[in-house]
Amino acid sequence: ETGVTQTPRHLVMGMTNKKSLKCEQHLGHNAMYWYKQSAKKPLELMFVYSLEERVENNSVPSRFSPECPNSSHLFLHLHTLQPEDSALYLCASSQGVGSGYLNTEAFFGQGTRLTVV
Amino acid sequence: RKEVEQDPGPFNVPEGATVAFNCTYSNSASQSFFWYRQDCRKEPKLLMSVYSSGNEDGRFTAQLNRASQYISLLIRDSKLSDSATYLCAVNLKAAGNKLTFGGGTRVLVKP
């Protein structure tokens, strides 16, 4: 419905596991984002990719590793996470690059609800 | 000072009443402004963009006050289905079109 699809929708992983979150956008956008939303906290921007290059990394721990192979796909690789990393991870895309794009609203996927045990 | 700030609420609103709330932003060079709606355990969905002249979409009116650096959202004739968290988002083009979100304002419409 939103044009941004995230998988899986729910994920439970142990602290020693390695998993990946996937995001795909069908909107022809050129910027993609990972946000984290913990319980009762505001959306926190984690990473921004613009034209497949990482342009923002908001002091995110190295146990989170993003990958953007092309403008339609974004991954978040997870390893040795901590219980406090449990949160809703949201992917978004926007037409964020290029002159003249003033209304660069972002569209979100449905999120992956991650629980680290 | 946070880049984007909102009153977390909750705003308890009788059904049919009008409610309004603001969102302040710290960077005067911010260029684009948006209101999103987020339902419990769901993703944020774009409600409306906020234009310099103010804009209206049905029962929702958004306004921008550049001098005081805030945007507002007004909901008229509140419906029970308007209960949600309303997030404002601000875009600073010079920062690579990064959208920065406020913490959200929770609105509860009651019968």
Side-chain angles (χ1 to χ4, degrees):
Chain A
E1 180 185 296
T2 65
V4 181
T5 305
Q6 287 186 244
T7 54
R9 294 287 306 280
H10 301 272
L11 178 62
V12 179
M13 60 186 288
M15 290 189 283
T16 58
N17 291 159
K18 288 184 182 181
K19 296 286 184 183
S20 295
L21 310 185
K22 179 182 175 182
C23 176
E24 185 174 358
Q25 58 97 1
H26 312 278
L27 301 169
H29 289 164
N30 57 20
M32 296 186 78
Y33 313 80
W34 279 118
Y35 284 88
K36 174 184 177 182
Q37 190 173 40
S38 304
K40 299 186 179 179
K41 286 188 178 180
L43 278 170
E44 300 171 54
L45 180 64
M46 299 175 73
F47 301 104
V48 180
Y49 275 83
S50 180
L51 294 176
E52 301 159 37
E53 285 192 34
R54 190 190 310 180
V55 297
E56 182 105 7
N57 177 345
N58 273 359
S59 303
V60 180
S62 59
R63 56 186 184 269
F64 295 91
S65 174
E67 179 190 0
C68 187
N70 55 61
S71 59
S72 300
H73 294 86
L74 186 65
F75 296 89
L76 187 62
H77 304 299
L78 317 170
H79 65 97
T80 59
L81 295 192
Q82 305 298 310
E84 60 264 28
D85 296 321
S86 299
L88 179 67
Y89 288 85
L90 290 159
C91 171
S93 72
S94 72
Q95 192 59 16
V97 177
S99 61
Y101 285 110
L102 292 181
N103 283 338
T104 53
E105 62 266 30
F107 294 89
F108 285 85
Q110 292 177 300
T112 295
R113 189 159 297 280
L114 174 67
T115 303
V116 181
V117 296
Chain B
R1 182 182 173 189
K2 291 181 184 176
E3 289 186 62
V4 182
E5 287 197 81
Q6 294 183 251
D7 182 339
F11 284 58
N12 294 301
V13 185
E15 191 176 8
T18 295
V19 61
F21 41 89
N22 296 335
C23 165
T24 59
Y25 59 95
S26 60
N27 194 322
S28 60
S30 299
Q31 293 183 286
S32 304
F33 308 88
F34 309 94
W35 282 106
Y36 282 78
R37 171 194 170 126
Q38 186 173 27
D39 293 297
C40 188
R41 302 178 73 83
K42 297 283 184 71
E43 78 277 20
K45 293 187 177 179
L46 181 67
L47 180 65
M48 58 198 302
S49 302
V50 186
Y51 302 120
S52 297
S53 55
N55 49 300
E56 189 175 306
D57 183 2
R59 297 180 294 107
F60 297 84
T61 301
Q63 292 200 311
L64 166 63
N65 186 318
R66 285 197 183 272
S68 301
Q69 293 183 206
Y70 72 88
I71 61 172
S72 64
L73 182 67
L74 181 145
I75 308 174
R76 285 186 302 278
D77 187 23
S78 298
K79 311 291 185 191
L80 297 177
S81 58
D82 294 332
S83 297
T85 296
Y86 292 86
L87 305 169
C88 67
V90 175
N91 183 307
L92 179 60
K93 190 175 183 182
N97 285 319
K98 177 185 74 173
L99 264 187
T100 302
F101 284 83
T105 295
R106 191 165 173 222
V107 172
L108 295 174
V109 181
K110 301 187 175 181

